[in-house]
Amino acid sequence: MDVGAPYLQVGPVIVPLTGEVTTVGRGADCHIRLNDASVSLLHAELVCRGLCVSVTGLTGPIGATTVNGQAVTRHVLAGGDVISFGQVTCMVGGLGANAVPE
C-alpha cells in the first residue's frame, strides 16, 4: 500500500479505500462489514475522489454516523478523523500528511 493512500482503520485492521464507493454496514453485500447490532445493514458510504474522501450516513438519528463526535449526513474527511458507525469507532488516514502505518 502506498503512503498517502486513503484507508479506514477498524480496530487493529487497516482497510484500504481502493474503490470509488465503499459501503459500510452489517449486510453481507457491504465492502466493510461491521458485526455490531448498533450498525445498520447498509449504514454509510465512503466516496473517494483521488485523495478526497467523504462519508455519507444512510441511517436516521438512531445509530447515526458521526465524525469527531458530531452527527453527519455527509462530511468531507481529513486524516485522523474519528468516524463512528453506530457504536463502532474507526479512524480515517492516508489523507494529507497522514501516512499509512507500517
Side-chain angles (χ1 to χ4, degrees):
M1 189 169 10
D2 294 331
V3 170
Y7 65 88
L8 189 68
Q9 183 171 351
V10 184
V13 178
I14 302 295
V15 181
L17 301 176
T18 56
E20 185 175 324
V21 176
T22 302
T23 54
V24 180
R26 260 189 7 255
D29 293 333
C30 290
H31 297 109
I32 299 175
R33 290 190 65 200
L34 303 175
N35 189 18
D36 188 280
S38 68
V39 177
S40 299
L41 291 176
L42 180 57
H43 200 96
E45 291 180 336
L46 297 165
V47 178
C48 297
R49 299 271 199 282
L51 290 180
C52 182
V53 178
S54 63
V55 62
T56 301
L58 302 174
T59 63
I62 297 175
T65 301
T66 66
V67 176
N68 301 324
Q70 300 295 313
V72 298
T73 51
R74 187 169 188 207
H75 186 83
V76 175
L77 299 167
D81 279 348
V82 175
I83 307 170
S84 294
F85 306 103
Q87 297 297 314
V88 178
T89 301
C90 308
M91 187 194 73
V92 66
L95 302 175
N98 280 10
V100 175
E102 300 279 329

